[in-house]
Amino acid sequence: TALLKDFVWASGSSSVVLICADASRLTPAVRDVLLRFLDGVNQHWTPMASREVQGPDGTLFFCLALQMTGGGNFPSRLVPPDYVLNLLYTTEHVYGLRELAQQGILTYDLIQSRGCGRGVSAKNTIAFLPLASNCIVNYALGGIGMSTMFPNGALIEQLLHPAAAARLAAARPRAPGAGAGA
């Protein structure tokens, strides 16, 4: 019955883990894995920022802020408190953090966590509303939407600048013999 309504409540958790590794002991393969966006079932990992930092003794550390997002608790806008623990547990296994910490290669800690309740449309498709000449509101889509970030941004750009969108459409190559509406 919830899918017949305009919106369904959904909830999840968005948290940040800070990872610091001894740069001299971190293999290029492990560094590559840490820097990848990963998308799982109801869980996503997004590297937010990374840098190398020199410690007081001259040791070079690779530090990474990694966003963990997960959930999919329908139809509730309340986030169960164990979501963040489940995310952290899965993150430890996906990236091998526990093993790397036991070897003394890195350390990590949860530095931020918040619930992210939202309303999802029954179609689970994004909707846009031009609010002002320089503002677009998007709503009705669950999750962080990494796979649709670029096309959504392109659509927002077209909504904000309709004249530029018209010029792009006019410049688009057309098949031979196709009319103006093709």
Side-chain angles (χ1 to χ4, degrees):
T1 62
L3 291 177
L4 299 177
K5 297 179 182 177
D6 289 339
F7 282 89
V8 176
W9 287 112
S11 63
S13 174
S14 182
S15 305
V16 177
V17 172
L18 184 62
I19 302 169
C20 288
D22 181 339
S24 68
R25 298 185 61 201
L26 192 64
T27 66
V30 171
R31 183 187 292 237
D32 181 55
V33 169
L34 289 173
L35 289 171
R36 287 181 185 221
F37 165 75
L38 298 177
D39 191 12
V41 176
N42 281 337
Q43 297 182 1
H44 318 278
W45 295 270
T46 307
M48 295 173 59
S50 66
R51 69 170 21 175
E52 290 192 342
V53 178
Q54 188 169 6
D57 64 352
T59 304
L60 196 59
F61 293 95
F62 171 74
C63 298
L64 169 69
L66 181 70
Q67 178 178 316
M68 312 177 302
T69 306
N73 185 29
F74 293 91
S76 174
R77 59 188 171 149
L78 303 175
V79 181
D82 61 340
Y83 268 26
V84 68
L85 298 176
N86 291 335
L87 274 170
L88 186 58
Y89 178 80
T90 304
T91 302
E92 288 172 335
H93 286 277
V94 166
Y95 288 99
L97 297 180
R98 238 184 233 180
E99 294 79 11
L100 293 168
Q102 288 171 347
Q103 296 169 25
I105 295 173
L106 61 73
T107 185
Y108 61 96
D109 205 350
L110 185 69
I111 60 170
Q112 180 267 340
S113 184
R114 66 177 176 84
C116 54
R118 53 195 168 261
V120 179
S121 71
K123 299 181 295 185
N124 198 24
T125 56
I126 199 162
F128 294 95
L129 173 67
L131 191 60
S133 63
N134 63 349
C135 180
I136 300 290
V137 175
N138 62 353
Y139 58 96
L141 181 66
I144 57 174
M146 293 302 292
S147 60
T148 59
M149 187 179 287
F150 177 77
N152 290 346
L155 180 56
I156 288 171
E157 183 69 21
Q158 291 173 11
L159 289 170
L160 284 173
H161 306 288
R167 283 194 305 274
L168 286 172
R172 183 178 44 202
R174 300 195 194 309

